Amino acid sequence: RGRGASAARPAGAHSGEWGRSATEAELSTELPTLYVYDHCPFCVRARMIFGLRGLPYKLAFLLNDDVVTPTKLIGKKVLPVLEEQGKAMGESLDIVAKVDGSDPVLKPSADREDIAAWQKDNRMLIRKLTRPRVAEAILPEFATKASRDTWIKNHQFADGTQFDECLQASSDLIEELNGQLPKLDALLDSDVSVNAGGVSYDDITLFPLLRTLTLVKGVAWPEKLLQYTRNMADASDVPLLEKMAC
């Protein structure tokens, strides 16, 4: 089940050799389907628990302008959505709790007000760095022009700041972020979990933010924070975005 977990992944569940036919067992197994956007931090939360538990599932990326599919599932355009045995549910942390089940691998949240305060203080800075880069990233939810345009239209800054202005100010914004990251680094217990005692809901809420920041080229990551981000990506089977960094 990833770091600190032990559930076995069914043999062949993720073996996709070219030309291979599915076995009878595979054909008769109905896996849960998780509908997501790749860039979405809330979707990353839901993806993490499957990886941490080592559970096979179907990962379905929707186009950002697809309103019909989520509406059919839960009545409105919101992701993530988990569909299993004919039933669908939304809300990322509800999905995490359901998948983690009665024998959870996740520790409860420690109500880290210090980390929450860091995120609040740096929210706009992070948005100015990441939104323009998400808008240009090669992601499955932006496979058509209309889907990308939809996201850009829906994520403009309320104060009128344009994405191009943010990109032009990247040097100053990155310098500001580089001054803030050591403060967050100091709040982590280790490079494998936010808190002592193992992976918790605080990791589920922090890692997605850090993953999005890997889109930003030139960030001076403190060593513990960088290793934590990489370790959590491996443990949760949610790849980072650093190869698209700009």
Side-chain angles (χ1 to χ4, degrees):
R1 291 187 293 186
R3 193 172 303 278
S6 59
R9 179 167 292 169
H14 286 186
S15 59
E17 296 89 348
W18 181 255
R20 183 179 76 87
S21 297
T23 65
E24 288 297 325
E26 290 171 329
L27 290 171
S28 63
T29 300
E30 286 293 330
L31 296 177
T33 299
L34 186 66
Y35 297 88
V36 301
Y37 306 126
D38 197 9
H39 75 276
C40 169
F42 300 101
C43 298
V44 172
R45 293 178 180 183
R47 293 169 64 181
M48 288 176 71
I49 191 58
F50 282 97
L52 290 168
R53 293 194 66 93
L55 298 174
Y57 68 112
K58 295 179 182 178
L59 186 59
F61 295 100
L62 297 187
L63 290 175
N64 196 258
D65 60 344
D66 181 352
V67 178
V68 172
T69 301
T71 299
K72 286 182 176 180
L73 289 165
I74 59 170
K76 57 184 176 180
K77 181 181 181 284
V78 178
L79 294 185
V81 172
L82 176 65
E83 184 181 28
E84 186 174 18
Q85 297 179 340
K87 297 181 179 180
M89 65 180 295
E91 297 297 336
S92 60
L93 293 183
D94 290 346
I95 293 172
V96 170
K98 181 181 188 302
V99 175
D100 207 18
S102 59
D103 181 25
V105 299
L106 293 176
K107 305 294 183 183
S109 169
D111 296 323
R112 293 294 301 271
E113 294 183 3
D114 49 356
I115 292 179
W118 186 94
Q119 291 177 290
K120 181 179 179 181
D121 290 344
N122 292 283
R123 182 174 296 134
M124 187 52 64
L125 169 63
I126 291 171
R127 286 178 178 174
K128 286 184 176 181
L129 281 166
T130 57
R131 281 191 186 180
R133 289 166 171 82
V134 169
E136 296 184 357
I138 306 302
L139 297 169
E141 57 264 38
F142 301 150
T144 65
K145 183 178 185 300
S147 59
R148 188 182 300 274
D149 289 347
T150 296
W151 188 89
I152 292 173
K153 178 182 178 182
N154 291 336
H155 288 81
Q156 294 299 304
F157 291 106
D159 64 1
T161 301
Q162 299 298 302
F163 286 179
D164 284 347
E165 295 177 67
C166 296
L167 291 172
Q168 291 168 8
S170 285
S171 294
D172 291 340
L173 294 173
I174 291 171
E175 182 178 358
E176 184 178 351
L177 178 67
N178 288 344
Q180 294 298 318
L181 288 177
K183 300 175 184 178
L184 179 60
D185 183 82
L187 300 178
L188 298 186
D189 176 75
S190 71
D191 64 6
V192 295
S193 62
V194 169
N195 305 319
V199 178
S200 70
Y201 275 84
D202 294 320
D203 296 284
I204 295 292
T205 55
L206 178 62
F207 169 72
L209 173 69
L210 299 175
R211 177 183 185 256
T212 306
L213 276 174
T214 65
L215 273 174
V216 184
K217 189 175 183 179
V219 173
W221 290 84
E223 183 58 32
K224 181 170 61 174
L225 188 63
L226 176 60
Q227 197 57 50
Y228 166 82
T229 303
R230 289 177 174 169
N231 286 339
M232 192 55 62
D234 289 342
S236 62
D237 194 20
V238 181
L240 300 179
L241 304 172
E242 55 195 346
K243 292 189 182 299
M244 291 186 284
C246 61

